[in-house]
Amino acid sequence: MTVVAIVAQGAMGAGMARRLTDGGARVLTSLAGRSPASRRRAAAAGMEDAGPEALAAADIFLSVLPPAEALATAQWLAPALRAAGRPAAYADCNAISPETARQVAGCIEAAGAAFVDGGIIGGPPRPDGYTPVLYVSGPEAARALVLRDHGLEVQVTPGPVGAASALKMSYAGITKGLVALGAAMMLAAGRGGAAEGLRAELARSQPQLLAWFQRMVPPMPDKAYRWVGEMEEIAGFTGPEAAGIYQAIGQFYAGVAADQAGPGEAAASLAAFLKGG
């Protein structure tokens, strides 16, 4: 039986775990210090609580976390990887820049384990069969292909460590950047009394773009807090030519997240705009 370790138990990590356990794999995680909600998600996904030694001895370890936790998690597991007789291949699946990925790789490889650079494009796996794509790169990328045998879609992208992270950064910079730009203008149009006119013009001249916004913008307020760190990573990835753009987008998402934790006015305004009311 393939043994997969996944840290942590958020929507993506638990969704991947559920797909893998349904596909016959055994999935381990660490519940030390985790919230009751995380524990419930882990139980529903069939994840088993385990210590660092067991996680390090799995066939493959998947790091599925907020970007700011990527390097700290590698440093936390490194001693167990170093002590393991047959350490797991370590796949960093987080939304991090190629530079951050190389820092994580240095930590993992110094512990004697194989590093796989990864980037997930798409939402968590769903019971209807939908699955995101895990892109992987680097000399050890093929180590992640075992996940295909248990229901996940894994694609090797050509290039060294950092290539899969660069693909994720580029794709997210386009899609989440457009969500932010669209949402910011919808909110501004509402404040300026032009919401009805803007929506009508989008429907007339940009119907495909309006349809895309109608699909992508409504879920954004609940995710905005997670996207702040991702925009910071993208800012570092783009370099000085566009760093300011993504730093500003990160600030926009931080503002939406703060509003969502309070009155929820932004989400309500966006929903009204997209429904035409």
Side-chain angles (χ1 to χ4, degrees), residues 30-200:
S30 173
L31 294 175
R34 306 304 297 183
S35 68
S38 293
R39 290 177 176 273
R40 287 192 295 270
R41 282 192 296 269
M47 305 170 90
E48 303 174 30
D49 189 17
E53 295 77 13
L55 300 177
D59 295 299
I60 185 166
F61 180 96
L62 305 180
S63 176
V64 187
L65 294 156
E69 299 178 29
L71 182 56
T73 298
Q75 292 168 337
W76 166 73
L77 193 66
L81 289 170
R82 191 174 292 112
R86 185 183 65 88
Y90 187 105
D92 189 294
C93 307
N94 303 306
I96 56 176
S97 69
E99 176 57 32
T100 303
R102 286 188 283 270
Q103 292 177 25
V104 175
C107 175
I108 295 304
E109 290 168 350
F115 179 79
V116 177
D117 179 35
I120 301 169
I121 292 182
R126 298 193 302 258
D128 64 7
Y130 167 82
T131 187
V133 180
L134 171 58
Y135 288 95
V136 292
S137 69
E140 303 290 343
R143 297 281 294 269
L145 295 180
V146 66
L147 302 173
R148 288 178 174 175
D149 298 336
H150 304 285
L152 291 185
E153 185 172 351
V154 182
Q155 298 291 336
V156 176
T157 190
V161 166
S165 291
L167 172 59
K168 168 65 176 179
M169 293 284 94
S170 302
Y171 184 87
I174 293 171
T175 56
K176 293 170 185 174
L178 283 174
V179 167
L181 291 175
M185 289 301 99
M186 292 171 201
L187 293 171
R191 292 191 297 269
E196 183 178 350
L198 176 60
R199 189 186 186 285

Side-chain angles (χ1 to χ4, degrees), residues 230-260:
E230 190 169 342
M231 295 304 107
E232 293 169 351
E233 290 287 325
I234 293 173
F237 166 63
T238 61
E241 297 84 359
I245 295 173
Y246 287 97
Q247 288 167 352
I249 290 174
Q251 292 171 3
F252 171 79
Y253 281 135
V256 172
D259 177 75
Q260 190 69 353

